[in-house]
Structure formats: C-alpha cells, structure tokens
Amino acid sequence: MTRTTTPDTKGAPEMSETFDLNGIDYVEFWVGNARQSAYFYEHAFGFTPVAYCGPETGIRDRASYVLEQGEIRFVFTSAIVPDHPIAEHHALHGDGVHDVALGVPDVDAAWAIATSRGATGAYEPRSASDDDGQVRLAGINTYGETIHTLIDRSGYDGAFLPGYEALPQPAAGERAGIGLRFVDHVVGNTEDMNPWVDFYERVLGFSELAHFTDSDITTEYSALMSKVVQNGDGRVKFPINEPATGKRKSQIEEYLEAYRGAGVQHIALLTDDIIRTVDELHRRGVRFLETPDSYYDAAEERVGQIDEQWADLRRTGVLVDRDDEGYLLQIFTKPVQDRPTVFYEIIQRKGSRGFGEGNFKALFEAIEREQALRGNL
Ligand code: FE2
C-alpha cells in the first residue's frame, strides 16, 4: 500500500522567530537485521560502533546499534518481535531511513514553532535521563513515513541516548575511519516536491537554494525535477526530488514503487580526500555506479584544471563538476539493499556549493543502465 501524504501549511503564521538548528544529530535506519547492517557500515564504510541497546540492556522489543565517523552518526534499529511498528515499517519499505534527527537548542520552542506552522507531530516533547544526564526530544513528520526528531543533547554526556550502553572504544588511531567527515546533504524522493519545499520553507524556516527542471536533467528515458532547501547557516541541505515525465519509468518512480512511497533516496557524505576514501570503499567491497570511460574525455574539456590526477578519477570512477565558485568531486554507490532505494554519494568540495548538476546526465545514464538490468526501464 502506498501512503501519500502532503503537509498542510495553509494558514501557518508568517516567519517571526528564527528556527535554529545545530545540524544533523543522527540518521536512524529501520532495517531487517540491525546487527548485520552495523557490521556492513563498520567494515565497508569504516564507521566505529559506539553504543548499543537491546535485550542485554533491558530493551525487549528491538535492538539498536549506533556508529560514528567524523561528525556522522548513524543508528540501525530492528524489531525483534513480530507485531511492532518497526517490523511493519520494514515489511512495507524494506531497509530505509526512519529519522533524520536535527539538533536544536530548545526542543520545546522548536516543537511549538513547527507545530504552530503546520507540522504534524510524530511524538510529543519528552525527556530521557540516566546517570550521564538528560536529553530532550520531540518528533515531527516529513515526507512519507520519515520523521525529524528535534533533539537537545547539551545536558548529556553519555554515548548516545539514555538506555544505550557505550561500547568499548578502539585506540584513537584505530578509529580513524576512511575520511568521511559529515553529512553534506540528505535527498528525499517525493510524489510532489512543492508541498515539501513549502513545508521546509514555512515550517522550518529553510530557504530554496537552487532548482533543476526536467529540461536540465532529461535523458531519453527518464527525468526528474529537484529543488534544494537549506537552513539559515547552510549546514543542513535537503534536496527534494519528484518524477518528471519521461518516455519510460523514471528512477524516482522506480524508487517510489519499491519503497512504497516517499522517503530518503541518498545521503551524501563529505570527505577531504575522495580518491583515498573511494579507494578504501572499493577495497572493502562497496559497489559504485560505473562511469563510462568516455565521460572523462568530455569532463577534462568541460571542467578544466583540477588538483587531482585525471588518471585517479578514471581509476576510481569519481565524477567532477565545476561552477562559478569552484568544483566538486562526487561518486554514487549502488543501492545498499535489495530494493532499488537508498544509496550513498561520496562528495568532496573544492569551492563549489552545488550538487553536481553537470553530472546529472552522466549519472542518470549510469543509473538507467542499472535499471535496464533489473527490467524496470
Ligand atoms: Fe546528492
């Protein structure tokens, strides 16, 4: 069953107070087997497990593993009983993102502002505490069944949240990871992006950064439309996609069918050395979309002088794009679960604040080759 939701922001008061955000606090995935997901992110993506809750810590119905790298914090949670909202979510959507949690300085104020402007609550403000202090949390709904927890952990010293047990930490040198520093952006696929662009603007005080129309991103078979919203200091960037009319099924439509509705499409993770990071990911078995060699012949001409060696880009499959402010390097993984839903982008910025618009066509052609292999084109 596909659930279609649209936010109701009609009648919301005009922006009068700023809605401060401290960035993305964590991303929580609801998955079929959290233990194995944690193993994948530890060994393939170089994350360090930091906290756990489950039967051993007195939680009877689920298990959660918290992993970190740089400022990135991922949580993988599975139900361990059959009749459970997480089990139902997993049955419908497969492995996917449940919560993109946002740090806020004042949860109650943020909740009050958001709900007064038309956000619907996922859960009401509450406190959680243990010997390490107290956190305050509330949740609001966004596209599909995805939520934003609003969290203030300034009064908390523990590993993640009350109820979680800290895991033994490796020596500092062994916690180095593979160079992933923070979440650059989180992209949502929706049936209709404009109500959600409006939601982020009117409810969370974001502003629209840029948009791409289907004339920019059209291939022979499919197209998308995308708009990007970001918060005041640009730390939180959410591109939002919708399908555009193509000759065949677009990759956004394929996602919406496979995920049974709107949800997170990809998470972009920033590195300062993309060649090293992608070499490590390749070595650890992460699979990327393949870049046709001919892409680089055109790219050298299109992009001009860069600090990196073109031979390294060709070897790793990293894409490059330039705009007025500089350039960026990026590469996209294949979906990381059996459904063609969530994937990752690895990105390095050399002055550009864009999203690789010039690469969209090359990317889409690569994605469509994959789609054709699945018989969905
Ligand atoms: Fe992206």
Side-chain angles (χ1 to χ4, degrees), residues 130-152:
D130 65 13
D131 293 345
D132 293 312
Q134 180 178 298
V135 295
R136 188 93 178 139
L137 315 104
I140 58 172
N141 294 308
T142 180
Y143 46 75
E145 289 198 273
T146 317
I147 73 165
H148 291 304
T149 282
L150 307 170
I151 180 169
D152 171 17

Side-chain angles (χ1 to χ4, degrees), residues 22-27 68 71-75 100-104 137 149-154 160-161 236:
N22 299 330
I24 294 173
D25 188 275
Y26 65 87
V27 179
E68 292 179 355
E71 293 173 36
I72 308 161
R73 186 187 284 129
F74 283 171
V75 184
V100 180
L102 302 170
V104 296
L137 315 104
T149 282
L150 307 170
I151 180 169
D152 171 17
R153 59 170 67 254
S154 61
F160 177 55
L161 290 177
V236 180

Side-chain angles (χ1 to χ4, degrees), residues 173-234:
E174 289 159 34
R175 218 199 124 143
I178 59 167
L180 298 171
R181 290 188 52 212
F182 55 80
V183 173
D184 186 272
H185 57 275
V186 178
V187 182
N189 279 343
T190 66
E191 294 91 350
D192 180 9
M193 67 183 171
N194 285 319
W196 294 107
V197 171
D198 188 56
F199 169 83
Y200 283 103
E201 288 181 336
R202 297 196 60 184
V203 174
L204 297 187
F206 283 42
S207 53
E208 194 181 331
L209 188 62
H211 69 272
F212 319 116
T213 65
D214 55 348
S215 60
D216 297 324
I217 312 163
T218 306
T219 69
E220 189 181 351
Y221 295 109
S222 68
L224 68 70
M225 304 234 275
S226 186
K227 292 183 177 178
V228 182
V229 290
Q230 69 171 18
N231 79 315
D233 66 8

Side-chain angles (χ1 to χ4, degrees), residues 185 187 266 332 345:
H185 57 275
V187 182
H266 76 265
F332 299 87
E345 172 181 352

